[in-house]
Amino acid sequence: MEALAKSQRIKLKTAATFSLMLYDLVVKGGRVMDPAQGLNERKDVAVSGGRVVEVASSISASNARRVLNASGKIVTPGFVDLHAHVALDVARLCIDAESVCLPYGTTTVVDAGSTGELNFPTFKRYIIDRCQTRILAFVNVESLGMIELTEEPPDYTDQGWPALISAVNDTFAPLFANRKNLAAVLRRYKKNVVGIKWAHHGLPLLEIARSVADDVGCPIMAENVMTPDSVRYLKRGDIITHLYLPSSKGVRGPGNGLRPDGGKQIVEEFHKAKRRGVIFDIGHGKGSFSWEEATIAFNEGLKPDTISTDLWTGNVNGPVYNMPTTMSKLLHLGMSLEEVVDASTAKPAAAINMRGLIGTLRPGSMADMALVRVVEGKHPLVDVRGKRRLADRLITVTDVVKGGRIVNTFSRA
Ligand SMILES: [Zn+2]
């Protein structure tokens, strides 16, 4: 009897030791690039219960249920795309995050105002709650969000942007927003909503966005239009997106972008905004990324803080395609790979107040990862004006881990 009890005790102890040591996944042999931790060296990453539990020079694979071989690859935190449109079938312009974001390394995507206070709950119930991709949202200051009027209304813009049901002028604009309901949605859906989007409307709605944001305590993401007047509304922690919108003489008429006067230099208001801590975001899109504008901005020291795609139906088949292609464009412009990864992981995570939880592989963070290969060669990259550059490095994603689960492996396909 006593001998049996002893053997059972040993068995139990062995099982307990194993369960303590067993990881759900070990990503082995890659170069971990995690700017949030200042890491850029060969490391293994161990995952348990959906979280990163250890990052070390060598973690035994025998302790893992699954092993992902990352030899010859760079292991980064899952990308955080701060500006895209993923309210699929809620607003017609939206794309499917599950097929366009997650397989390309974007484990967290922030919808930039596709829905407003009226239709955000639908977006949450039928898309956000059902996707593997972590979806967060800036809620549009306009109650309807981005509902298209027709596919080709008379004022269809030359960048192919459909006209939205929206205020026709500043006098009617306040009728399209509801301060009380907007604030209520921001407060009620705190887990999903990260701020307010201002776009495609005049300054009276930016005033409304400002007052509600101050009241609730959240950031505004503002488009780079009606500048420099609109920039003056933005405070530390707010975001300007469409940073390298082509100069005003081109796409959107006067008064937009970094050079609203069409001059050779960026207007001072943007340098002031940078100094006071406004976040500068790419938001590439179909009409908002020009090599020329980016080059002028780089020369004046205005690099982006965050890299985002502004993916929607009008640009998913080019010139945006996906997050790694957009990141490659910034690499081509002269940012280092570490800077590009930082601007696609830790910095956007901080911008939405999720520093340490996503955008890093620090133990305790969500186990979201992209396995990256930087492919050398001659890769054509195109801006919104069709201008082609040949890049000598292209960022590609071979495998994706979301919450500790391998969700995509291009390398094994
Ligand atoms: Zn957008």
Side-chain angles (χ1 to χ4, degrees):
M1 277 294 281
E2 199 181 313
L4 185 63
K6 195 179 174 190
S7 103
Q8 274 177 339
R9 274 205 305 277
I10 290 165
K11 264 189 196 163
L12 281 172
K13 194 179 172 195
T14 311
T17 310
F18 259 108
S19 70
L20 276 176
M21 292 178 68
L22 198 65
Y23 300 122
D24 293 335
L25 173 71
V26 171
V27 179
K28 266 198 90 64
R31 175 155 66 99
V32 172
M33 187 178 285
D34 182 8
Q37 298 189 75
L39 264 184
N40 184 8
E41 58 193 282
R42 200 216 149 285
K43 294 268 185 195
D44 295 343
V45 183
V47 169
S48 205
R51 304 267 182 161
V52 174
V53 290
E54 194 180 353
V55 180
S57 301
S58 182
I59 299 173
S60 171
S62 62
N63 294 331
R65 287 194 179 90
R66 284 197 77 175
V67 178
L68 185 57
N69 180 6
S71 299
K73 298 176 188 176
I74 298 165
V75 180
T76 74
F79 306 143
V80 180
D81 186 349
L82 202 54
H83 181 162
H85 296 278
V86 294
L88 186 68
D89 292 337
V90 180
R92 194 163 49 198
L93 60 95
C94 291
I95 49 103
D96 179 13
E98 302 288 80
S99 61
V100 179
C101 302
L102 192 59
Y104 297 93
T106 302
T107 48
T108 301
V109 58
V110 187
D111 183 274
S114 306
T115 60
E117 50 91 5
L118 278 173
N119 43 14
F120 174 78
T122 310
F123 176 26
K124 182 189 178 302
R125 179 182 291 241
Y126 294 105
I127 305 295
I128 293 176
D129 289 352
R130 296 177 184 206
C131 281
Q132 272 195 94
T133 319
R134 182 179 298 100
I135 300 177
L136 303 162
F138 287 95
V139 171
N140 207 304
V141 63
E142 287 200 27
S143 294
L144 279 169
M146 295 182 176
I147 299 296
E148 295 167 29
L149 187 59
T150 68
E151 296 214 337
E152 293 197 37
D155 58 348
Y156 202 69
T157 63
D158 60 2
Q159 61 161 309
W161 179 256
L164 305 170
I165 295 180
S166 183
V168 290
N169 60 39
D170 286 355
T171 309
F172 292 109
L175 298 175
F176 284 76
N178 183 315
R179 291 168 197 259
K180 197 166 140 253
N181 291 352
L182 176 59
V185 163
L186 286 158
R187 289 197 170 102
R188 181 171 171 200
Y189 296 101
K190 262 189 192 152
K191 272 175 75 177
N192 311 97
V193 174
V194 297
I196 303 171
K197 174 82 186 293
W198 172 77
H200 313 288
H201 3 254
L203 295 178
L205 281 185
L206 184 52
E207 277 169 28
I208 291 174
R210 178 76 275 156
S211 76
V212 175
D214 288 345
D215 186 24
V216 174
C218 70
I220 295 172
M221 175 183 269
E223 295 205 341
N224 194 2
V225 294
M226 294 176 209
T227 58
D229 293 342
S230 60
V231 182
R232 297 189 183 111
Y233 287 85
L234 303 180
K235 299 179 178 175
R236 182 179 185 78
D238 291 327
I239 300 153
I240 297 174
T241 190
H242 300 325
L243 186 61
Y244 300 142
L245 185 80
S247 182
S248 54
K249 299 262 160 134
V251 175
R252 292 194 184 184
N256 297 323
L258 298 171
R259 297 181 297 144
D261 54 2
K264 289 205 169 93
Q265 290 184 316
I266 289 163
V267 295
E268 181 56 23
E269 203 62 50
F270 287 93
H271 290 285
K272 284 187 193 160
K274 184 87 174 172
R275 287 196 289 274
R276 70 176 177 269
V278 174
I279 295 162
F280 284 21
D281 176 60
I282 289 292
H284 186 310
K286 188 169 184 178
S288 308
F289 179 88
S290 105
W291 294 121
E292 184 190 359
E293 211 63 22
T295 304
I296 291 167
F298 266 63
N299 288 340
E300 290 198 27
L302 288 184
K303 289 183 183 177
D305 295 300
T306 56
I307 297 171
S308 69
T309 59
D310 186 21
L311 272 164
W312 60 281
T313 52
N315 61 44
V316 66
N317 294 316
V320 178
Y321 299 107
N322 51 49
M323 189 69 176
T325 305
T326 308
M327 292 162 70
S328 301
K329 291 179 181 179
L330 279 303
L331 189 66
H332 175 69
L333 280 164
M335 287 172 78
S336 69
L337 187 61
E338 287 91 336
E339 285 177 322
V340 166
V341 170
D342 194 24
S344 309
T345 58
K347 284 188 170 170
I352 53 174
N353 210 18
M354 293 183 82
R355 190 200 307 264
L357 188 62
I358 59 171
T360 179
L361 297 175
R362 198 183 295 277
S365 66
M366 304 306 293
D368 301 345
M369 286 172 248
L371 271 57
V372 167
R373 261 192 212 286
V374 180
V375 181
E376 298 196 352
K378 292 286 170 209
H379 308 283
L381 294 173
V382 180
D383 75 359
V384 298
R385 287 186 159 166
K387 298 255 166 63
R388 206 171 82 128
R389 294 268 188 98
L390 279 180
D392 55 13
R393 288 177 297 169
L394 190 71
I395 297 170
T396 61
V397 169
T398 62
D399 311 78
V400 181
V401 175
K402 165 79 196 335
R405 291 182 54 217
I406 300 168
V407 292
N408 194 50
T409 51
F410 284 153
S411 55
R412 291 178 191 176

